[in-house]
């Protein structure tokens, strides 16, 4: 499997933008509700939820190799996930009546991706009380020197630097406005002190009336 998947698992406890969303789901959602994680990678987040008693766990990823790795992890840990190969930006299969859509550490890495399009694609998957739980790179990263370049290339000559791996950054106000446009509201927002700084959001449907 790609090395960064292994590192993400080994260092998971320090990745607060991953732990906070999963912890919120475990504290606030009933164990019988369905969870869907597009871009699930190795399934580490879903397997953590499985260890907390969730059983209706769904995930998709574009990479066959990492999905095979996920199957190995499932067998070793004694949990079962429902995973399939799919392009999360243009999915061919979407589950229905999900209690939560979980998305961490991938959307803002993809050129051309946007939170607006993500909401449009996945809001139909949610049950009436379903929630979005996700992280986003903070707009404050725009003030960091060399933020327009890939962090691995900061020490290289300017002509050798690639564009930043963080393709979009959002303020809480921007996230709240996008949520409102799609019929949702911010239930909670938590800022991490990672580099780059990220915010974790939990969105529920807007109240009627």
């Amino acid at each position: 499997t790609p090395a960064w998947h292994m590192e993400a698992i080994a260092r998971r406890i320090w990745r607060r933008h991953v732990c906070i969303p999963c912890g919120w789901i475990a504290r606030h959602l009933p164990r019988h509700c369905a969870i869907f994680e597009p871009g699930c990678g190795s399934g580490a987040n879903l397997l953590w939820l499985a260890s907390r008693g969730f059983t209706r766990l769904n995930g998709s990823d574009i990479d066959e190799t990492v999905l095979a790795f996920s199957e190995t992890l499932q067998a070793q840990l004694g949990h079962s996930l429902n995973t399939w190969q799919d392009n999360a930006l243009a999915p061919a299969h979407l589950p229905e009546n999900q209690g939560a859509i979980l998305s961490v550490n991938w959307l803002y890495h993809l050129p051309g991706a946007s939170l607006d399009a993500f909401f449009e694609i996945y809001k139909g998957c949610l049950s009436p009380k379903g929630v979005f739980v996700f992280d986003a790179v903070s707009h404050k990263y725009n003030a960091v020197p060399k933020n327009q370049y890939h962090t691995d290339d900061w020490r290289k000559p300017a002509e050798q630097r690639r564009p930043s791996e963080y393709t979009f950054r959002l303020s809480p106000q921007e996230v709240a406005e996008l949520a409102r446009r799609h019929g949702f509201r911010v239930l909670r927002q938590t800022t991490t002190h990672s580099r780059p700084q990220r915010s974790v959001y939990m969105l529920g449907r807007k109240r009627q009336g």
Side-chain angles (χ1 to χ4, degrees):
T1 191
W4 76 268
H5 283 288
M6 300 292 290
E7 181 181 356
I9 293 171
R11 296 181 55 82
R12 190 178 189 280
I13 193 170
W14 291 284
R15 295 164 62 82
R16 306 308 297 163
H17 60 292
V18 173
C19 294
I20 291 171
C22 294
W24 188 90
I25 288 173
R27 287 192 301 274
H28 292 90
L29 299 186
R31 296 312 190 251
H32 64 266
C33 79
I35 312 294
F36 175 39
E37 183 182 14
C40 69
S42 67
N45 298 321
L46 296 175
L47 286 167
W48 186 89
L49 290 170
S51 74
R52 267 62 183 177
F54 289 86
T55 57
R56 299 171 61 198
L57 298 167
N58 307 296
S60 67
D61 200 275
I62 199 169
D63 189 338
E64 285 183 325
T65 303
V66 78
L67 288 174
F69 177 50
S70 177
E71 291 181 3
T72 300
L73 288 177
Q74 292 172 52
Q76 289 181 346
L77 296 173
H79 298 300
S80 179
L81 309 177
N82 178 32
T83 58
W84 62 92
Q85 185 183 22
D86 209 345
N87 179 352
L89 296 185
H93 170 64
L94 291 172
E96 298 178 346
N97 203 36
Q98 301 295 294
I101 303 294
L102 172 64
S103 172
V104 290
N105 199 49
W106 68 272
L107 187 64
Y108 45 75
H109 286 304
L110 301 183
S114 72
L115 190 60
D116 187 32
F118 182 81
F119 287 158
E120 187 63 34
I121 291 169
Y122 289 102
K123 63 185 180 183
C125 298
L126 289 171
S127 66
K129 294 184 178 181
V131 295
F132 279 110
V133 184
F134 61 95
D135 74 323
V137 175
S138 169
H139 68 298
K140 294 181 180 179
Y141 189 63
N142 294 331
V144 174
K146 301 180 183 178
N147 75 86
Q148 70 271 37
Y149 301 118
H150 198 290
T151 51
D152 289 345
D153 298 345
W154 282 2
R155 295 179 181 273
K156 295 180 180 179
E159 64 274 12
Q160 296 180 17
R161 296 173 189 161
R162 294 165 292 173
S164 174
E165 67 270 44
Y166 306 112
T167 61
F168 65 85
R169 303 87 184 259
L170 296 169
S171 69
Q173 293 76 19
E174 289 172 318
V175 172
E177 174 57 23
L178 284 171
R180 186 195 64 78
R181 270 192 254 157
H182 289 276
F184 290 81
R185 60 191 175 94
V186 177
L187 302 175
R188 180 177 174 182
Q189 180 249 323
T190 301
T191 300
T192 73
H193 297 289
S194 57
R195 285 188 286 179
Q197 189 178 76
R198 295 171 171 89
S199 290
V200 175
Y201 296 89
M202 297 77 177
L203 308 184
R205 296 190 189 275
K206 288 194 297 187
R207 294 189 181 96
Q208 299 299 313

